[in-house]
Amino acid sequence: MPMTNNLDPAQRFTKTEFVVRKERIQSITKVLFAVMAISMIIPLLLIIGYLFYHALPSLSWEFLVEVPKKGMRDGGIWPAFVGTLYLVVISLAIAAPVGVFAAVYLNEYAKDNWFNRIIHLAVINLAGVPSIVHALFGLGAFVYAAEFGYSILSAALTLAIMTLPVIIASTREALASVPMPFREACWNVGASRWQTIRAVVVPNSISGILTGIILQVSRAAGETAPVMFTGAVFYKAVERGELFPYQLNEQCMALSMHLYTVATQVPNVKESIPYATAVVLLCSVLLVNAGAIALRVWLRNHKKW
Amino acid sequence: MAAEQKQNSIQTRNLNLWYGEFQALKSVSVDVKNGLITALIGPSGCGKTTLLRCFNRINERFPYVRTQGEIVILGKNIYDPDVSLIELRKSVGMVFQRPNPIPISVYENVLFGLRIHHRLGHFKKAYLEEIVEKSLTEVGLWKDLRDRLKVKATTLQLEQQQKLCIARLLPLKPEIILMDEPCSALDVEGTRSIEDLMYKLRGRYTIVIVTHNMAQARRVSDECIFMLLGEKIEHSRTEDLFLKPQNPKTGEYIEGRYG
Ligand SMILES: Nc1ncnc2c1ncn2[C@@H]1O[C@H](COP(=O)(O)OP(=O)(O)O)[C@@H](O)[C@H]1O
Ligand SMILES: [Mg+2]
């Protein structure tokens, strides 16, 4: 019997004190982290519940399609809703193609040299610039320098500049996640870079690209300062339910701005109106995000490639 | 030289390659004969993959790679200014260590190369179907996959994926097929069927295969090139290399002293 330290076989492989302590710590941390994760949902539910509770008296189809009345103390929010739609659609129509093409260039074509590294750095830093700075830039560049004046065009361009770097960054990330072997497979049958991009890179990253773009919808819809400085007004006379009330060179109303106005600038507003405005803003954004998720799932399951 | 080039598909002369400061190939001169299966063997990191990737200039996607020397493929120096990488890669196909089918259907995978090189609608549907059948038959997949042509290629078994990757090259009528450890992700069965396939393709295509499995090199190859630390040590007929190695280093490697 060599090398056995007189242990009773029944005592072998049982828990030592150290193991017991380790297991206790393990279960504590698990509970702790789970609590953290769950507590994330609570504020969200509270916010939504609180908003809906206060908004309820005003919430109706009429509220959405009616114009504000009695100095915004009554009526609906149609001009602001359509204005936000205008701003979001136009700004993304500019930012999305530019951003995606820029990202494709940076990720697929650009060599790793100092020039492209500077572009990369610039993109990352631009993504972190506060929106009020974008607002000032938009005011100087589009309203005054380019002489677009206070207008939907200026505001949409400002929003586009604001969302562009984030779209570039998220698109690059989506492109970079396409495995190298897919590209090599293409190159090895003689595909050019562009053919490779079209045949494998974009189809395999499209859901990530779209998600990145659509997340910017909520940003463009929610930001107040950039549109306030460049093209949004307190009030604009619009027909009830009119679909195309604005021209590009006019100012418009916007939901975020309207919320700010009715909540802080107008005395004696019915209490439920600001809350209902917030609910409309929140629901539109959530709806778009839900649409994005659905599209993603659909693309993943139905893509023919 | 001219007659020599006729029977050699690939010739390199004093080929040097650097990854940044690191020299991965040192004055490599090899002649790969037409229609034979040539195996590249040597310990891990000796530059086999690097050499193979020189033959269709795929190394160049790294900006820090620098090459020097001459590579003549099918009689043409591939560093001549009028060489199109697209046309070169059509003739010199490559199969990778991990099967890399494109995540589209089996059918489209086979036709991928053709589609890349021709306008949409250039071919009749019947012709395309014939090509798919011919290519899949050639690699022995037709019987298994004829009813599953619409299946996504990435859902196949690894062995089938690897065969599909070979089938994908065939519609372009390549003359040289480069294989970089094509069996290392496969099990014994898969390995054997890929080896059988190589044997069937032998003669019609010049095949260069990188392998770290010496038994495999012995089984499949006609000629063998032994490399060490970026240099070509020995190149001879496979039996000769294994039975009567000229260079003592080759002998040591074969006996398993290193690598
Ligand atoms: N992309 C690369 N960048 C830098 N060094 C590399 C790269 N690829 C290979 N190397 C180096 O070159 C040498 C040869 O590599 P490789 O050709 O892959 O060897 P093998 O295929 O024989 O294992 C190794 O030392 C490896 O570290
Ligand atoms: Mg290798």
Side-chain angles (χ1 to χ4, degrees), chain B residues 195-215:
Chain B
E195 285 176 7
D196 287 347
L197 171 58
M198 289 172 62
Y199 232 83
K200 272 198 290 179
L201 299 177
R202 178 174 177 271
R204 273 177 293 158
Y205 306 94
T206 304
I207 297 177
V208 184
I209 173 176
V210 167
T211 173
H212 57 218
N213 177 338
M214 268 180 295

Side-chain angles (χ1 to χ4, degrees), chain A residues 137-148:
Chain A
F137 171 77
L139 180 66
F142 302 125
V143 177
Y144 291 126
E147 297 187 348
F148 294 147

Side-chain angles (χ1 to χ4, degrees), chain A residues 181 184 187-190 195 305, chain B residues 56 61 96 100 103-104 116-117:
Chain A
E184 286 179 334
W187 296 337
N188 270 285
V189 289
Q195 286 174 317
W305 44 80
Chain B
N56 66 358
R61 72 182 162 88
F96 294 82
N100 60 350
I104 47 182
I116 289 281
H117 291 284

Side-chain angles (χ1 to χ4, degrees), chain A residues 111-112 180-193 195-196 199-200 203-204 300 303-305, chain B residues 53 56 58 61 63 86 89-90 92-94 96 100-105 112-113 116-117 152 168-169 172:
Chain A
K111 293 231 164 71
D112 185 23
M180 215 40 170
F182 291 179
R183 294 188 179 83
E184 286 179 334
C186 278
W187 296 337
N188 270 285
V189 289
S192 65
R193 289 208 172 238
Q195 286 174 317
T196 307
V200 303
N204 282 291
R300 207 174 284 158
K303 54 186 180 183
K304 57 183 186 308
W305 44 80
Chain B
R53 284 168 166 256
N56 66 358
I58 200 104
R61 72 182 162 88
I86 291 172
R89 288 175 190 160
K90 247 167 94 173
V92 186
M94 188 147 187
F96 294 82
N100 60 350
I102 303 163
I104 47 182
S105 68
F112 188 79
I116 289 281
H117 291 284
K152 211 164 148 175
R168 185 171 64 197
L169 303 174
L172 294 175

Side-chain angles (χ1 to χ4, degrees), chain A residues 186-257:
Chain A
C186 278
W187 296 337
N188 270 285
V189 289
S192 65
R193 289 208 172 238
W194 171 236
Q195 286 174 317
T196 307
I197 291 166
R198 248 190 27 198
V200 303
V201 178
V202 168
N204 282 291
S205 54
I206 188 74
S207 63
I209 294 174
L210 287 180
T211 312
I213 292 172
I214 287 170
L215 281 179
Q216 289 311 298
V217 167
S218 31
R219 251 185 103 216
E223 287 290 351
T224 317
V227 295
M228 197 152 122
F229 279 39
T230 53
V233 278
F234 287 123
Y235 184 74
K236 185 104 185 161
V238 163
E239 288 292 309
R240 174 184 188 280
E242 194 183 354
L243 270 179
F244 300 104
Y246 299 119
Q247 304 280 323
L248 272 191
N249 57 3
E250 288 177 346
Q251 290 176 283
C252 67
M253 290 179 70
L255 277 179
S256 53
M257 172 97 171

